[in-house]
Amino acid sequence: MKLPNILLTGTPGVGKTTLGKELASRSGLKYVNVGDLAREGQLYDGYDEEYGCPILDEDRVVDELEHQMQEGGVIVDYHGCDFFPERWFHIVFVLRTDNGILYKRLETRGYNEKKLQDNIQCEIFQVLYEEAIASYKEEIVHQLPSNEPEQLEDNINQISKWIEQWVKDHNP
Ligand code: DAT
């Protein structure tokens, strides 16, 4: 059976992991968190002194995922999207959260002031949305509000319906 690949992107804290895991458990698709994958496989290429974090080795991440992406049925979660092959994804969702709400979520994570400000700016200047529309066909990129639990539920329902329809259309 053919299954679609879905990309969930957006600023850290907007709710990609929450949505991705719930969606996977309801749809049977596989959830892949690129941050976790990189940590487990040490897919890094150096260290960023300014941000105090390892630098992702994008080529190795792509190599690592290529086989399962070709098989289909994968939900990918990452706060970046310009290095994935365009052909991988059938639909792209950019989650969006209001600044005040995002600030509180990141504060709870214990981010320092610089990291907090950088991420809030990233959301204000819609960096991930711009990156998504520059990397994929605009008609497959959708923004989803992710401020409250009701919106999470709406997003799950909406994407589940989309998956169902896609499966029907591609498995005659
Ligand atoms: P991300 O994976 O984008 O970094 P997350 O899934 O870890 O984000 O979510 C960050 C926090 O926000 C977490 O405590 C769950 C909460 N959250 C996510 N989506 C939400 C929503 N729609 N309404 C309320 N809280 C939400």
Side-chain angles (χ1 to χ4, degrees), residues 14-74:
V14 292
K16 302 179 294 296
T17 306
T18 309
L19 175 64
K21 286 185 172 166
E22 189 56 35
L23 206 52
S25 88
R26 292 206 205 174
S27 68
L29 266 59
K30 195 177 162 193
Y31 169 78
V32 172
N33 184 305
V34 171
D36 291 347
L37 182 86
R39 210 167 303 122
E40 284 155 17
Q42 289 293 301
L43 307 175
Y44 298 130
D45 180 21
Y47 192 81
D48 189 319
E49 296 294 344
E50 191 188 352
Y51 290 96
C53 62
I55 299 163
L56 195 73
D57 187 332
E58 299 175 344
D59 292 342
R60 280 173 67 210
V61 168
V62 169
D63 287 349
E64 186 74 26
L65 286 172
E66 182 65 51
H67 180 70
Q68 50 182 326
M69 297 309 291
Q70 277 185 31
E71 290 200 324
V74 186

Side-chain angles (χ1 to χ4, degrees), residues 10-19 31 33 77 95 101 105-106 109 111 145-153 155:
T11 309
V14 292
K16 302 179 294 296
T17 306
T18 309
L19 175 64
Y31 169 78
N33 184 305
D77 163 352
L95 275 62
I101 296 171
R105 289 186 196 167
L106 296 178
R109 281 190 180 173
Y111 278 20
S146 182
N147 301 299
E148 41 191 73
E150 293 72 26
Q151 291 172 332
L152 172 63
E153 200 55 36
N155 294 339

Side-chain angles (χ1 to χ4, degrees), residues 77-161:
D77 163 352
Y78 195 58
H79 58 263
C81 63
D82 59 357
F83 63 92
F84 300 124
E86 191 184 347
R87 64 186 156 76
W88 276 5
F89 297 105
H90 301 98
I91 198 158
V92 176
F93 295 103
V94 185
L95 275 62
R96 303 299 307 272
T97 300
D98 295 344
N99 304 324
I101 296 171
L102 185 63
Y103 192 93
K104 285 198 194 97
R105 289 186 196 167
L106 296 178
E107 223 179 10
T108 309
R109 281 190 180 173
Y111 278 20
N112 65 34
E113 194 55 31
K114 172 165 171 53
K115 208 167 165 187
L116 265 170
Q117 291 305 339
D118 285 350
N119 280 296
I120 296 298
Q121 287 231 351
C122 174
E123 187 60 14
I124 292 172
F125 291 109
Q126 46 186 36
V127 172
L128 270 307
Y129 177 64
E130 299 287 342
E131 188 173 321
I133 56 173
S135 307
Y136 301 90
K137 287 203 188 80
E138 212 166 330
E139 58 265 33
I140 72 157
V141 178
H142 305 273
Q143 299 195 75
L144 295 174
S146 182
N147 301 299
E148 41 191 73
E150 293 72 26
Q151 291 172 332
L152 172 63
E153 200 55 36
D154 285 349
N155 294 339
I156 293 165
N157 290 333
Q158 206 181 322
I159 301 173
S160 298
K161 276 196 196 126

